[in-house]
Amino acid sequence: EIRRKFLDFFVQKGHKEVHSSSLVPANDPTLLFTNAGMNQFKDVFLGLEKRDYSRATTSQKCVRAGGKHNDLENVGFTNRHHTFFEMLGNFSFGDYFKKDAIAYAWELITSPEWFGIDKSKLYVTIFKGAEVSPGQLLGSDREALVQWVNVGVPQSRIHQMGMQDNFWQMGDTGPCGPCSEIHYDMGAAASDQGHTDCTFGCDCGRYVEIWNLVFMQFDRDSSGKLNPLPKPSIDTGMGLERVTAVLQGVISKYETDLV
């Protein structure tokens, strides 16, 4: 029901529902396994391929067992990392950008008609700016900040983070860009370290990222340089297992009815 509701929301917003691609990527020697919803759209983001739609939504099967996004060392030690998982996503190929992506995400997550998650348990992060490649600086994401405030997120709940947390790239080369994440407070019971009063930013397991909105603006070449993509685009990823745990009121994927 959660998977279906996500896809239906974006179909209503004019997105084409696209099937999950194979776990073994097609024609992409840079990846061992499909690790994100955007993999099957990589050439569309790069402007090398045209589709008959400019916005899409998927529930993509992913494996993270090597390469850039390798969660193997965390699997079994946290409640939130998995080797295999499904990534719910919505994509814009040069159609809408930050304003609409943020508005859609906030509506789906908080509206009583959709997921109806308690706003008081949500936090948002944005890119604070950093050196994204040698000699190449990218400033803080003021546009994302403004859009989050516009949908009603208090500034006190919007936190700025660096490259590690708020800049996403598929691999060492390829499409990339600053991102903005939505986190959920699972409560003290979810703390791996037994914290009872920690605040947002603590990585003890209490505050879980449930949705990442990537603002695809660049293509990283083999020298590490970022070159602008033909059209700024949107690539988002929400962990089905994580949002299921939130909506079913448990602190781990292993306690949901998915497993």
Side-chain angles (χ1 to χ4, degrees):
E1 286 172 11
I2 293 165
R3 185 193 296 114
R4 191 67 255 156
K5 195 170 243 192
F6 181 97
L7 295 169
D8 285 348
F9 175 85
F10 283 105
V11 167
Q12 283 191 14
K13 302 290 188 188
H15 293 62
K16 163 89 170 170
E17 185 178 332
V18 179
H19 287 300
S20 177
S21 65
S22 167
L23 276 178
V24 179
N27 307 317
D28 192 344
T30 69
L31 280 179
L32 180 62
F33 294 116
T34 294
N35 67 4
M38 60 74 63
N39 292 170
Q40 66 168 309
F41 303 118
K42 179 180 176 182
D43 284 348
V44 186
F45 284 120
L46 293 172
L48 303 173
E49 181 188 343
K50 283 287 287 178
R51 303 269 176 116
D52 58 1
Y53 47 86
S54 60
R55 38 177 83 187
T57 185
T58 63
S59 182
Q60 175 64 50
K61 298 171 178 69
C62 298
V63 166
R64 290 198 170 172
K68 190 93 192 153
H69 298 279
N70 180 0
D71 293 333
L72 261 185
E73 66 272 18
N74 294 316
V75 174
F77 296 96
T78 77
N79 290 320
R80 61 195 186 279
H81 289 98
H82 320 298
T83 40
F84 172 85
F85 61 96
E86 282 185 68
M87 187 175 283
L88 301 164
N90 60 291
F91 307 89
S92 161
F93 311 113
D95 185 343
Y96 61 86
F97 200 43
K98 295 178 187 179
K99 180 183 179 183
D100 289 336
I102 287 169
Y104 289 155
W106 198 245
E107 180 185 354
L108 175 58
I109 278 197
T110 64
S111 168
E113 292 174 39
W114 296 96
F115 289 154
I117 294 173
D118 181 357
K119 294 178 186 176
S120 72
K121 291 186 171 288
L122 297 171
Y123 294 84
V124 168
T125 63
I126 60 171
F127 184 59
K128 73 176 179 183
E131 188 173 10
V132 291
S133 70
Q136 206 171 1
L137 294 171
L138 194 61
S140 70
D141 196 344
R142 293 286 308 166
E143 186 184 349
L145 173 66
V146 168
Q147 297 306 334
W148 283 116
V149 169
N150 285 349
V151 296
V153 181
Q155 283 218 29
S156 60
R157 285 183 171 257
I158 303 172
H159 296 255
Q160 299 195 46
M161 306 277 201
M163 286 290 289
Q164 174 97 24
D165 298 291
N166 281 102
F167 193 92
W168 195 89
Q169 49 197 66
M170 181 179 136
D172 292 327
T173 60
C176 58
C179 63
S180 190
E181 297 175 335
I182 301 172
H183 297 251
Y184 181 83
D185 178 0
M186 290 279 194
S191 172
D192 301 332
Q193 294 158 37
H195 294 173
T196 54
D197 58 355
C198 60
T199 55
F200 180 75
C202 184
D203 61 1
C204 69
R206 173 173 176 167
Y207 303 95
V208 175
E209 173 216 330
I210 55 173
W211 203 351
N212 187 9
L213 315 180
V214 182
F215 309 127
M216 285 290 189
Q217 292 170 253
F218 306 104
D219 175 20
R220 190 184 290 278
D221 65 25
S222 54
S223 74
K225 182 168 177 273
L226 301 192
N227 304 294
L229 286 174
K231 293 177 178 172
S233 298
I234 291 294
D235 154 33
T236 86
M238 175 195 270
L240 174 64
E241 294 78 5
R242 292 185 185 183
V243 78
T244 298
V246 168
L247 293 172
Q248 294 186 354
V250 295
I251 60 171
S252 157
K253 160 188 173 173
Y254 305 103
E255 297 170 55
T256 67
D257 57 15
L258 270 164
V259 179

